Amino acid sequence: MSVSTDKLMITVAPTGAETSKTDWPQLPTTLDELVETGQQCQEVGASMIHVHIRDDDHQPTLDLARLTDTVDALHENTDLVVQLSTGGSVHDPLETRLKVLDAQPDSCSLTMGTTNFGDDVFLNPWPFITELYQLSQEREVVPEFELFDLGHVHALHRLLDKYGLPYGGRVHCDLVMGVPGGMPGTTDALVAAVNALPDVVTSWSATGIGRSTLSVALAALSKGGHLRVGMEDVLTLAKGVPVEHNSQLVERVVNLANIAQRTPMSPDEARDLLQIKRR
Ligand code: KMH
Ligand code: ZN
């Protein structure tokens, strides 16, 4: 496995599907808020955006017209690599999640197994994984393999052995750590997962949910990984200090990266790293 140890790809995951706008009015849920968030986050060092969208009532939706408008608006107003979530919310049917690729994102998330998700279940049965993967190859969308557990790493070996490399030939993963039901957000777990990745993996990032955000970021930086941060994953900067804007989370890891002598990638460098199709 080859890893970049100097340049750093920062993905911002600004919204997610779990947090309510009523509880967190600063959560970007409208298209305008999402575009403004993308612009600010790009300005301070992000190169990719992981997108979940909301409807007019700020509820999670996978409405195809809205997804398409969102991809277009982010392309028109930012340079960011646009990654749509195919995970959606725990309530989204699998068939609707497959349709996300119709919105023609640059990249899509692809979770490598079912996981307990707090009191809920985030469903990713094997036939769904293989169908989504083959669809991403056919549509020339670069997947980001989301790994919530060590078992998901094993499933990634199985997928790549059976169905070959993704569109573009690069294999990029994201370790999502600290979900109640998944692997913990610890350095030990991160090292175990990274050491078990298939040899064909060309890059990986990590994100720590909630309080594990900093320990995971520091561990990933030191092990040569990339980073995902955002209000999808953490809502406070410290105990009792709410995040007011996603760009604060990006800025914070840019500062950590400076100390670690890792320079944030531009969106074009991220496109090269992931071999995103120039549409
Ligand atoms: N909202 C979670 C149930 C993804 O974006 O692909 C799933 C999730 C993963 O956020
Ligand atoms: Zn997500």
Side-chain angles (χ1 to χ4, degrees):
M1 178 183 52
S2 75
V3 291
S4 161
T5 49
D6 51 351
K7 287 289 182 127
L8 174 69
M9 180 170 69
I10 301 174
T11 300
V12 62
T15 310
E18 284 72 39
T19 300
S20 99
K21 182 80 163 176
T22 314
D23 294 343
W24 294 85
Q26 64 273 52
L27 190 77
T29 53
T30 68
L31 185 53
D32 284 350
E33 288 168 345
L34 203 53
V35 166
E36 187 274 340
T37 296
Q39 289 170 330
Q40 290 298 321
C41 290
Q42 179 183 327
E43 185 73 27
V44 295
S47 47
M48 176 148 75
I49 185 164
H50 168 85
V51 179
H52 290 253
I53 62 163
R54 302 291 177 100
D55 63 17
D56 287 340
D57 298 323
H58 309 284
Q59 300 303 311
T61 178
L62 291 179
D63 177 80
L64 187 55
R66 268 181 194 263
L67 283 171
T68 307
D69 287 349
T70 304
V71 171
D72 291 347
L74 286 167
H75 279 155
E76 272 160 32
N77 295 289
T78 78
D79 302 320
L80 296 168
V81 176
V82 179
Q83 177 184 91
L84 287 183
S85 166
T86 64
S89 89
V90 289
H91 308 294
D92 286 317
L94 299 177
E95 312 79 67
T96 317
R97 289 167 53 193
L98 287 169
K99 293 252 183 282
V100 166
L101 294 198
D102 291 353
Q104 292 195 288
D106 299 316
S107 170
C108 66
S109 59
L110 200 170
T111 298
M112 287 308 303
T114 293
T115 192
N116 282 320
F117 197 82
D119 292 342
D120 294 306
V121 175
F122 177 30
L123 200 61
N124 294 285
W126 182 249
F128 170 74
I129 291 172
T130 60
E131 192 175 346
L132 179 56
Y133 185 49
Q134 290 175 94
L135 200 59
S136 74
Q137 290 170 317
E138 192 186 302
R139 301 285 178 86
E140 305 187 334
V141 174
V142 175
E144 175 180 272
F145 299 104
E146 310 293 343
L147 308 171
F148 286 65
D149 221 332
L150 207 47
H152 294 187
V153 180
H154 180 66
L156 180 60
H157 281 263
R158 205 174 145 212
L159 186 78
L160 297 172
D161 286 349
K162 183 133 197 250
Y163 296 96
L165 293 174
Y167 168 74
R170 302 288 167 86
V171 183
H172 177 70
C173 309
D174 180 48
L175 308 175
V176 184
M177 311 184 70
V179 168
M183 64 183 149
T186 61
T187 300
D188 287 344
L190 182 138
V191 170
V194 172
N195 288 343
L197 290 174
D199 287 341
V200 290
V201 168
T202 44
S203 58
W204 60 273
S205 61
T207 186
I209 304 301
R211 253 173 292 172
S212 68
T213 185
L214 281 171
S215 53
V216 168
L218 290 165
L221 280 173
S222 70
K223 188 122 178 89
H226 301 282
L227 297 179
R228 172 176 124 176
V229 291
M231 291 181 75
E232 173 166 348
D233 300 336
V234 61
L235 293 161
T236 54
L237 292 167
K239 199 165 185 231
V241 184
V243 176
E244 296 299 341
H245 195 282
N246 276 279
S247 58
Q248 291 174 294
L249 293 167
V250 175
E251 262 182 316
R252 179 164 71 173
V253 291
V254 168
N255 289 333
L256 294 179
N258 283 337
I259 295 168
Q261 301 187 355
R262 302 277 308 274
T263 314
M265 272 182 197
S266 68
D268 271 347
E269 288 171 323
R271 283 194 163 75
D272 287 344
L273 175 76
L274 303 175
Q275 285 295 292
I276 299 290
K277 183 179 170 122
R278 259 58 176 195
R279 290 180 194 274

